[in-house]
């Protein structure tokens, strides 16, 4: 095998390592053979388009629910993916409407100083901008965990729903809807998605799928054998 071919194979194997272990065990050799057979003569590196396709496939393989996942949980997982998209929408909305929010606040309180405005930004707007990427990652993580039936996932999701509800109620009590209507609509839409997913994962058809596995690492007792 030429050095170019060896380098290309190593590149493909590095990308295929992103796939789940079970998938690689069953399909890696076949996929690698197809990739190498379709490579152009003298090709030494994986193309950008090829790498993007393999990475997208790895993400789908890792985020896809288990085959035995009931329809209610599959629907909840889809809602969680929608929640990740909405989280990005909230971030865009906060950034785009920042000037209009400032104008509305100044109209309500014309004596507001620059220092006071910066305090409002630090207390209200900046956290949304900073934590939105964390929120996207959390939605994706929750979708992955629920799709695999992890018992603890519902507990974590319920806790985040409680925090989301408290945050929405706090914003309403601060009259945020009067000067940041677009932000409130985006937050309310995400809360509705959160609530709908909650109803699905705590429904009776989903209960059996989330039964704790005594052999799972999360439930092992220290010093006990799996």
């Amino acid at each position: 095998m030429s050095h170019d071919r060896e380098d290309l194979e190593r590149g493909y194997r590095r990308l295929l390592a992103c796939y789940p272990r079970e998938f690689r065990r069953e399909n890696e050799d076949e996929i690698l053979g197809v990739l190498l057979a379709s490579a152009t003569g003298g090709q030494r590196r994986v193309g950008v388009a090829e790498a993007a396709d393999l990475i997208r496939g790895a993400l789908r393989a890792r985020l896809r629910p288990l085959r035995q996942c009931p329809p209610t949980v599959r629907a909840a997982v889809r809602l969680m993916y929608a929640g990740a998209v909405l989280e990005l929408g909230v971030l865009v909305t906060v950034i785009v409407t920042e000037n209009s929010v400032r104008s509305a606040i100044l109209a309500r309180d014309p004596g507001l100083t620059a220092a006071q405005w910066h305090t409002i930004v630090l207390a209200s707007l900046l956290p949304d901008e900073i934590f939105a990427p964390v929120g996207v990652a959390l939605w994706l993580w929750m979708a992955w965990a629920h799709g695999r039936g992890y018992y603890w996932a519902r507990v974590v999701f319920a806790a985040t729903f409680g925090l989301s509800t408290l945050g929405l109620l706090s914003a309403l009590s601060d009259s945020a809807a009067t000067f940041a209507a677009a932000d409130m609509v985006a937050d309310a839409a995400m809360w509705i998605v959160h609530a709908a997913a909650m109803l699905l994962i705590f429904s009776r058809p989903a209960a059996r799928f989330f039964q704790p596995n005594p052999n799972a690492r999360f439930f092992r007792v220290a010093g006990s054998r799996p």
Side-chain angles (χ1 to χ4, degrees):
M1 182 182 290
S2 66
H3 290 299
D4 290 347
R5 201 71 167 176
E6 290 175 354
D7 291 340
L8 183 60
E9 181 176 339
R10 279 195 294 270
Y12 282 134
R13 287 193 182 277
R14 280 194 292 267
L15 290 169
L16 290 172
C18 299
Y19 285 77
R21 184 179 303 172
E22 296 80 5
F23 180 91
R24 295 200 310 271
R25 187 183 302 117
E26 297 177 3
N27 304 286
E28 182 174 10
D29 291 339
E30 181 181 352
I31 294 174
L32 183 62
V34 172
L35 291 171
L36 290 173
S38 60
T40 59
Q43 183 178 347
R44 187 173 181 179
R45 301 179 187 280
V46 180
V48 175
E50 284 182 305
D53 286 340
L54 288 170
I55 291 172
R56 280 198 298 268
L59 286 173
R60 284 196 299 268
R62 288 192 174 275
L63 296 176
R64 185 185 300 125
L66 296 177
R67 292 178 183 176
Q68 62 268 34
C69 184
T72 51
V73 179
R74 287 184 181 275
V77 168
R78 294 190 189 98
L79 285 173
M80 292 173 197
Y81 290 143
V85 175
L86 282 173
E87 192 76 55
L88 289 176
V90 170
L91 174 61
V92 172
T93 303
V94 169
I95 294 174
V96 170
T97 61
E98 184 171 329
N99 288 332
S100 62
V101 170
R102 180 177 183 178
S103 299
I105 292 176
L106 289 175
R108 191 182 67 174
D109 188 1
L112 195 68
T113 65
Q116 290 172 325
W117 166 247
H118 286 304
T119 300
I120 293 173
V121 170
L122 290 173
S124 302
L125 302 181
L126 193 60
D128 288 338
E129 297 175 5
I130 292 175
F131 291 110
V134 177
V136 171
L138 182 61
W139 278 107
L140 295 177
W141 179 52
M142 285 288 95
W144 169 82
H146 283 85
R148 276 151 182 76
Y150 288 121
Y151 184 77
W152 51 263
R154 293 198 300 174
V155 178
V156 175
F157 197 73
T160 59
F161 177 68
L163 292 174
S164 174
T165 302
L166 289 175
L168 187 63
L169 292 175
S170 176
L172 289 172
S173 67
D174 291 338
S175 302
T178 60
F179 56 82
D183 297 352
M184 285 299 303
V185 169
D187 286 338
M190 192 159 57
W191 183 88
I192 291 171
V193 169
H194 211 153
M198 277 282 294
L199 291 174
L200 288 170
I201 63 174
F202 282 95
S203 64
R204 182 173 296 179
R208 185 174 299 177
F209 183 64
F210 290 103
Q211 288 300 315
N213 179 3
N215 293 324
R217 184 185 306 172
F218 187 81
F219 292 97
R220 287 179 192 164
V221 179
S224 64
R225 292 186 178 181

